[in-house]
Amino acid sequence: MKPAIVPGRLADAPDPSGRGGGERAGTADLGARLLFSRNIQHVATRVHAMQTVDDILLDAGADIKRVFNAERLHIFVISEDGRLLHSKVRAADGTVSDFRRPIKTSTLVGVVAQTQVEVNLRDATDPGELSGVHADLQPASAFGIEAGESPQQVLVAPIIFRGKRGQSNEMLGVAQLINSRSGQPFGSGEMEGFRELCDTLAVAIRNRRKEAELALLSARPVRTKYDALMADGLISAEELKLAATSARRKGVDVEEILLTEFQVERRAIGQALAKFFDVPYEPFKADRLKPLELVKQIKREYAQSAQWVPVEDAGDGLVVLTTDPERIQSSRVVSNIFPRASKVVYRVTTAEEFERTLDQFFGEDIAAGSINDFLRGDGGDAGALEFAETGDEAAAAADNELVKFVNKVIIDAHHQGASDIHIEPYPGRQKTVIRFRKDGTLSPYVEVPPSYRAPLIARLKIMCDLDISEKRRPQDGKIKFKKYGPLDIELRVATIPSAGGVEDVVMRILSAGKPIPVDQLGLTPHNAARLMPIIAKPYGLFFVCGPTGSGKTTTLHSILGHLNTPETKIWTAEDPVEITQKGLRQVQVNRKAGLDFATVMKSFLRADPDIIMVGEMRDKETVGLGIEASLTGHLVLATLHTNSAPESITRLLDMGMDPFNFADALLGVLAQRLAKKLCTCKEAYTPDSAEIRAFVTEYAEDLQQFPGWHTDPQGEAKRLYDGWVTQYGVSGKLVFQRAKGCDRCNQTGYKGRIGLHELMIGSDAIKKNIQEHARVAEMFATAIGEGMRTLRMDGMEKVLSGLTDLKQVRAVCVR
């Protein structure tokens, strides 16, 4: 099989910026943008795989020039003294030359380095255009280029490492494209892509410099609490010396200077302390419960002066949090105060986080203290437990601290990007567990004391107008949170009676949002090029299938957003309406009122629609109406709960659909899943030959039903591998990415999700299969032969692109 795209062929595709060439069809424009974006991702992967800054200066240029169809590229880095821009160029004979440009306003790169603003020149020989950038620029001196270069179209952008929140940006250099081979100025799409590549260059250059510093410091022994920061390449020895001097002058701790003046992350300082003291680092935990039996034996004044506090009496011993484990351990003061402790386990933390823990335990912060009093079960209103035990949950549910706590849970879930909140009570004196589902995985949030179990459930029922006295039957409702808190969101609530006489509650967060543009859905260029002609047709039936939570509605709304024009009438029937779009007429299904999908569909056919979207087709009547509507000149989009595109066909035929009408109506079926996306902290590695063979074999499993594969499996496997190396390889080898873990992704290595897609076109061969009631395997073979990528194949191509890893693809693509 041929690869979907070949890097370096952008010059043959339509211009993504839309400049030149007149009007183009939407399909061509979208294909060009997707191809352009993929080529930029490909170059970024290559840049990150380069070993040194010199490699980047010498070897990145060829790929970048090919992507932007430019004659020349110069990458400059700022010298250590900050006065010059330095670059390297490899000649045709292999020799390497150094050249430098002053950071002065007489050169274009010097202006960009000083102003940190990108410049796009249509004609660099025009003195008026140059002086419009800066008065000192003249054609004769603006470039300082070697003989033979005559710049006309020039695009220059700063290379800036953009620090995280609380950190300053770092100017590292300038990149300069010279002369578009098309003879036209660089367009807005190219400017955006070049800006993205400069961000990639900044990260790669900074990382290579840090690695070089680390190599020099790796043999140096740790002598102070913060020397590990130098070993990790976060600060230099000179910076640490300056921080110590500043701390002495201001009369503060070195930690405060590192945080405020040098923008070192708090977690990095904590990990440095852990290396120095050889004990685990423990950050501040906002949901930590106050250990009453432990802290009642000491006062805040003592804990603050001694710099230690007990936080937990766990199975492995008494856990003590401190800023100086060595001093506390040598004084044996913990054993004197807690003589019954069989073992003492130490955890180190930063000074600021230690103070926050004391505030949490000893109630300096009134609001935080009241919430913590609630969580520990002995809070301000002693009547809450009495309410819960006597059955007066309504009164307990109105308690002010309980109201604050419920609001806090919902707000935290939304801010953390959770899709669902699970409240799981246990009978007797066991605690109630609250968990959040984020990126498809449940993670613990907090545990609530048993005395507040019933009031908590009652409060949620009151918020969505459910019967608080009914505990034996499941109930469904909605919370419009704008009535209770600062967020304009809705929550779909389901209560379910569970063992032990308790009720579970699951809340789905329905964040009203805008549709995602089609070119940002994560479709490969292969699938995008096949999808766009389908949805451009004026009538027919198109399905998106997959399990609950696989993003079907999001995909349909993206397609509708692409089709939504002033000339088009679009009706949608949804349950619930999660995404709203101006121009769509959206109907909320209400089964209690007799308004189901079939009833709404019948109404739509009398309301002059062009396009109809049905949230779900689950019965014969709704599917029949959809086929009827598609055959009478309407485009019908719908979702199905099926596992794959070919299986969707058999499911619909099993409902009793007429195969000939259904075949005539069908445009295509898109099956999809959501896989976890690798965080930006991912690291590249080169797989060995055994891993590559296993990868090719697994990819080929879905091709076994395609007759052409059996004639030459080894040759086809080699063609697959060669195509991947051409499309995704770095220096003739495949490079994979793996999860690493950072603060942004909570050390998991994954952040967000990406769609995997399987698109089956309603071709003549597929229509013939439908009319003949062909088996799923036969239909599958037909679709593969016509170019369909299965879910697993699509996922594995996204592994090659560095977007996810094979573990996540296998987790969601089960055959």
Side-chain angles (χ1 to χ4, degrees), residues 456-768:
L456 174 61
I457 304 300
R459 172 62 187 169
L460 293 170
K461 286 183 176 181
I462 289 170
M463 292 174 74
C464 50
D465 296 324
L466 299 180
D467 185 356
I468 65 172
S469 64
E470 179 56 71
K471 302 179 182 179
R472 296 172 298 177
R473 293 189 300 113
Q475 298 186 71
D476 297 320
K478 272 188 180 180
I479 296 175
K480 293 189 176 181
F481 191 65
K482 193 173 183 179
K483 294 167 54 180
Y484 308 99
L487 300 176
D488 187 11
I489 60 174
E490 285 189 3
L491 297 98
R492 189 171 61 199
V493 182
T495 69
I496 304 172
S498 49
V502 297
E503 288 181 280
D504 278 43
V505 178
V506 179
M507 297 186 284
R508 166 66 58 90
I509 299 175
L510 309 175
S511 300
K514 296 181 179 179
I516 300 172
V518 174
D519 56 359
Q520 295 178 22
L521 278 177
L523 291 164
T524 61
H526 173 81
N527 280 335
R530 287 157 57 87
L531 174 66
M532 300 310 295
I534 294 176
I535 62 176
K537 293 186 177 180
Y539 56 86
L541 190 56
F542 182 77
F543 291 100
V544 178
C545 67
T548 301
S550 59
K552 300 185 297 295
T553 302
T554 300
T555 298
L556 280 182
H557 269 280
S558 296
I559 293 173
L560 290 178
H562 179 74
L563 301 174
N564 188 7
T565 63
E567 299 81 22
T568 307
K569 178 74 171 188
I570 302 176
W571 284 100
T572 76
E574 303 170 71
D575 185 24
V577 175
E578 297 184 40
I579 301 173
T580 57
Q581 296 190 52
K582 185 177 180 181
L584 268 59
R585 309 311 303 154
Q586 298 177 259
V587 176
Q588 169 74 58
V589 169
N590 186 347
R591 291 184 178 84
K592 292 181 180 178
L595 193 65
D596 57 14
F597 283 112
T599 304
V600 176
M601 279 281 289
K602 292 176 183 176
S603 301
F604 286 172
L605 294 176
R606 296 189 294 269
D608 188 28
D610 295 303
I611 300 172
I612 296 172
M613 191 272 268
V614 185
E616 183 179 354
M617 286 191 174
R618 63 173 69 176
D619 55 65
K620 180 179 179 180
E621 184 180 10
T622 309
V623 178
L625 287 167
I627 294 174
E628 178 186 339
S630 64
L631 292 174
T632 53
H634 306 95
L635 178 62
V636 180
L637 312 176
T639 69
L640 283 173
H641 284 96
T642 50
N643 291 324
S644 69
E647 289 174 29
S648 302
I649 304 300
T650 58
R651 170 76 61 85
L652 293 167
L653 291 175
D654 288 344
M655 286 184 182
M657 297 300 105
D658 177 69
F660 291 92
N661 284 342
F662 179 48
D664 287 343
L666 183 68
L667 295 176
V669 183
L670 178 70
Q672 75 175 53
R673 301 288 189 277
L674 293 178
K676 289 185 179 180
K677 189 177 182 181
L678 286 168
C679 180
T680 52
C681 64
K682 61 189 177 185
E683 59 181 8
Y685 74 97
T686 302
D688 57 27
S689 57
E691 185 175 355
I692 290 175
R693 278 196 302 272
F695 190 89
V696 174
T697 301
E698 187 168 348
Y699 187 94
E701 285 180 9
D702 288 338
L703 296 172
Q704 298 300 322
Q705 298 183 49
F706 179 47
W709 180 270
H710 294 288
T711 59
D712 184 18
Q714 289 186 347
E716 189 65 29
K718 186 177 186 305
R719 283 190 289 275
L720 270 178
Y721 175 76
D722 292 342
W724 290 339
V725 170
T726 301
Q727 183 175 350
Y728 305 106
V730 178
S731 302
K733 295 181 179 179
L734 289 181
V735 176
F736 287 0
Q737 302 284 342
R738 58 187 165 205
K740 184 178 180 182
C742 65
D743 291 343
R744 188 167 176 267
C745 61
N746 294 323
Q747 308 304 319
T748 63
Y750 303 97
K751 183 73 174 178
R753 290 190 286 179
I754 186 169
L756 312 183
H757 305 95
E758 176 180 291
L759 179 59
M760 186 179 76
I761 305 296
S763 64
D764 291 341
I766 291 294
K767 291 177 186 291
K768 186 173 183 293

Side-chain angles (χ1 to χ4, degrees), residues 11 124 222 316 324 331 358 443-444 458 460 511 521 630 664 734 787 807:
V222 176
D316 55 352
D324 191 344
S331 68
L358 293 186
S443 58
L460 293 170
S511 300
L521 278 177
S630 64
D664 287 343
L734 289 181
K807 175 184 174 183

